[in-house]
């Protein structure tokens, strides 16, 4: 008896187990994986997704400027624009290994998690995690969260973590000097990770608790100006290829002085700076601007003002949406900024978002919720752990 075409269409397409798909992918050549990476990035441009990590406190301690009682459970939830829920991608209980956590950094689908005791690198897509070794160079362990940067060396293709540390106090000034150390993922002896000092110390100290931003083979830090006179109007740049420091001047029209705040983000492969602009005669007083670093290969970098925001409080731009609008994180809310109408539209309230674990969907019942880490996310197949065949 013959089978009709209609009946043949109903035959379900067999699906491969995730474990089998993984075994196939890890055996593909690098060129094929890079093509997948480009396709994934192209798909992200069409429908952006974010990785959201809620951070809760085990308990409250009165008077702490930044809590030291963070839960050491890390959960990555993926959320796409327009979705009513975020789905769990990966979670890991680090069993009390740290007590304070800062803002994440990300590069090519890998996520850097800096804490007060350790630095972790996650690949949520492959569920790999690497704990970088402790360093004995820092003379102030546990007192401050040291600034960390993370990026890809364009020459070798290796990923590097760069971390500041405090040297002993200067006898004349009473100020702790600062050094930098680098850890190359998979680049240590026998595949082990190890920290090594940079050939030269940074010319200026960098802000503690502030995670650096990486783009185009360089890491950028904000400078700690609290004990500096004169105060440099610049960022500290570290090249991941030559491992050398140099200064990148800030926009001339960026307001300066005590209480003036700015932050760094990366959008569409460009370094962006969000801060107050010096007020213009007859205009707004210190309007909030987003500058883009267009060129940084000389003594006078080129900053281009891209967006003027009708905001009086700091915000964190996350990404540029397909229609040209900017997705902004502001007070645990995701907002859409339209550069044409100059209007902000609420996209999502993070503390009201539904979070899905396995087959259960629920509203966030996170106890003692303190803040959310939110970063743009593109899936990556980059292995962090070498698996035997």
């Amino acid at each position: 008896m013959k089978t009709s075409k209609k009946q043949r269409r109903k035959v379900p397409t067999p699906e491969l187990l995730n474990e089998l798909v993984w075994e196939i992918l890890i055996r593909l050549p690098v060129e094929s994986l890079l093509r997948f990476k480009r396709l994934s990035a192209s798909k992200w441009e069409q429908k952006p997704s974010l990785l959201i990590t809620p951070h809760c406190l085990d308990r409250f301690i009165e008077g702490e400027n930044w809590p030291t009682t963070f839960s050491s459970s890390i959960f990555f939830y993926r959320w796409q624009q327009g979705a009513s829920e975020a789905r769990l991608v990966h979670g890991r209980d680090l069993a009390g290994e740290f007590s304070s956590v800062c803002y994440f950094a990300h590069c090519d689908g890998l996520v850097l998690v800096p804490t007060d005791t350790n630095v972790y690198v996650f690949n949520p897509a492959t569920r790999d995690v690497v704990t970088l070794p402790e360093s004995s160079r820092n003379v102030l362990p546990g007192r401050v969260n040291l600034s960390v940067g993370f990026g890809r060396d364009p020459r070798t293709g290796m990923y590097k973590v760069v971390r500041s540390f405090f040297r002993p106090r200067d006898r004349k000034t009473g100020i702790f000097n600062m050094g930098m150390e680098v850890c190359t993922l998979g680049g240590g002896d026998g595949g082990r990770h190890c920290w090594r000092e940079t050939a030269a110390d940074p010319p200026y100290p960098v802000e503690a608790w502030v995670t650096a931003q990486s783009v185009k083979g360089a890491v950028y830090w904000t400078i700690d100006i609290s004990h500096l006179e004169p105060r440099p109007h610049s960022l500290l740049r570290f090249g991941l290829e030559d491992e050398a420091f140099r200064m990148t001047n800030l926009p001339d029209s960026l307001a300066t002085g005590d209480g003036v705040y700015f932050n760094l983000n990366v959008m569409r492969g460009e370094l962006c700076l969000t801060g107050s602009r010096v007020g213009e005669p007859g205009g707004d007083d210190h309007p909030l601007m987003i500058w883009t670093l267009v060129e940084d290969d000389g003594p006078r970098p080129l900053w281009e003002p891209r967006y003027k925001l009708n905001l009086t409080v700091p915000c964190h731009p996350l990404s540029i949406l397909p229609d040209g609008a900017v997705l902004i994180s502001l007070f645990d809310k995701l907002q859409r900024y339209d550069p044409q109408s100059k209007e902000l539209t609420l996209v999502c309230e993070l503390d009201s978002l539904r979070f899905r674990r396995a087959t259960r969907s629920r509203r966030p019942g996170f106890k003692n919720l303190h803040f959310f880490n939110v970063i743009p996310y593109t899936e990556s197949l980059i292995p962090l752990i070498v698996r035997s065949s």
Side-chain angles (χ1 to χ4, degrees):
M1 183 175 67
K2 294 184 179 180
T3 304
S4 68
K5 292 182 179 180
K6 185 175 182 181
Q7 288 175 320
R8 285 199 296 268
R9 291 194 195 101
K10 292 183 179 180
V11 177
T13 302
E15 294 185 1
L16 295 176
L17 296 175
N18 290 336
E19 292 80 3
L20 183 56
V21 172
W22 168 252
E23 292 297 329
I24 294 172
L25 290 174
I26 62 175
R27 287 167 171 78
L28 290 176
V30 174
E31 292 78 7
S32 298
L33 295 178
L34 289 175
R35 284 198 295 271
F36 291 152
K37 176 183 170 182
R38 285 192 295 266
L39 288 172
S40 181
S42 176
K43 184 178 179 182
W44 191 94
E45 292 290 343
Q46 299 172 10
K47 193 171 184 180
S49 64
L50 302 176
L51 211 59
I52 304 173
T53 300
H55 293 287
C56 300
L57 303 181
D58 291 331
R59 65 187 188 282
F60 288 100
I61 298 180
E62 195 71 27
E64 284 191 316
N65 292 327
W66 185 255
T68 59
T69 58
F70 278 98
S71 167
S72 56
S73 295
I74 299 292
F75 293 98
F76 298 101
Y77 294 90
R78 186 175 185 177
W79 176 84
Q80 287 189 296
Q81 185 184 5
S84 60
E85 64 181 21
R87 295 174 178 267
L88 181 66
V89 176
H90 178 49
R92 180 69 65 95
D93 183 3
L94 296 170
E97 293 182 13
F98 64 86
S99 58
S100 186
V101 65
C102 288
Y103 286 98
F104 295 169
H106 59 97
C107 181
D108 297 340
L110 305 180
V111 183
L112 184 82
V113 177
T115 73
D116 58 334
T117 57
N118 294 309
V119 178
Y120 306 89
V121 181
F122 285 82
N123 186 334
T126 63
R127 301 190 175 186
D128 286 347
V129 58
V130 168
T131 303
L132 299 187
E134 297 182 7
S135 173
S136 59
R137 295 187 177 95
N138 183 42
V139 300
L140 296 176
R143 291 181 57 179
V144 295
N145 277 31
L146 299 170
S147 183
V148 182
F150 176 54
R152 180 177 176 271
D153 182 339
R155 180 176 59 86
T156 65
M158 304 291 283
Y159 292 87
K160 295 180 177 180
V161 180
V162 191
R163 180 172 62 180
S164 60
F165 66 90
F166 287 106
R167 296 190 185 279
R169 192 192 302 267
D170 186 282
R171 293 181 178 180
K172 293 182 179 180
T173 64
I175 298 173
F176 289 94
N177 293 317
M178 181 169 282
M180 286 279 185
E181 53 189 358
V182 180
C183 181
T184 302
L185 296 185
D189 295 335
R192 294 176 300 174
H193 302 106
C194 59
W195 294 100
R196 52 185 173 78
E197 285 191 51
T198 56
D201 284 347
Y204 294 104
V206 299
E207 287 275 9
W209 308 91
V210 180
T211 305
Q213 295 292 322
S214 174
V215 64
K216 299 178 181 178
V219 177
Y220 293 84
W221 278 275
T222 55
I223 295 173
D224 183 357
I225 61 174
S226 56
H227 299 288
L228 299 178
E229 287 295 341
R231 295 179 173 182
H233 191 63
S234 55
L235 302 172
L236 179 65
R237 180 189 186 276
F238 180 77
L240 292 170
E241 181 177 347
D242 59 9
E243 297 193 356
F245 295 100
R246 66 175 174 84
M247 310 304 294
T248 296
N249 290 341
L250 294 169
D252 292 336
S253 56
L254 177 68
T256 59
D258 294 334
V260 176
Y261 172 87
F262 70 87
N263 61 61
L264 301 176
N265 298 87
V266 175
M267 297 193 297
R268 285 191 179 174
E270 295 180 306
L271 184 70
C272 296
L273 183 151
T274 305
S276 296
R277 184 171 183 170
V278 175
E280 301 173 355
D284 297 334
D285 185 29
H286 299 289
L288 205 61
M289 298 290 299
I290 299 179
W291 286 270
T292 296
L293 183 59
V294 178
E295 185 176 328
D296 187 23
D297 57 359
R300 295 293 299 175
L302 177 60
W303 291 93
E304 182 179 291
R306 292 277 177 88
Y307 304 96
K308 179 179 177 180
L309 308 179
N310 294 325
L311 293 173
T312 58
V313 293
C315 67
H316 286 271
L318 295 172
S319 64
I320 301 174
L321 301 175
D323 62 357
V326 183
L327 187 64
I328 291 174
S329 174
L330 180 65
F331 297 134
D332 291 344
K333 294 180 175 62
L334 300 181
Q335 309 249 17
R336 178 185 180 277
Y337 178 77
D338 188 332
Q340 301 299 324
S341 65
K342 313 294 184 185
E343 292 182 352
L344 275 174
T345 305
L346 179 64
V347 174
C348 173
E349 295 190 47
L350 295 178
D351 55 4
S352 299
L353 188 65
R354 292 196 302 271
F355 288 81
R356 179 185 289 274
R357 293 189 189 180
T359 59
R360 295 188 298 115
S361 180
R362 64 182 182 85
R363 299 183 74 84
F366 304 114
K367 185 179 180 181
N368 298 335
L369 179 64
H370 186 69
F371 83 108
F372 292 92
N373 252 304
V374 184
I375 56 175
Y377 178 61
T378 302
E379 286 184 331
S380 167
L381 298 175
I382 298 170
L384 292 175
I385 300 174
V386 179
R387 291 176 170 83
S388 58
S389 59

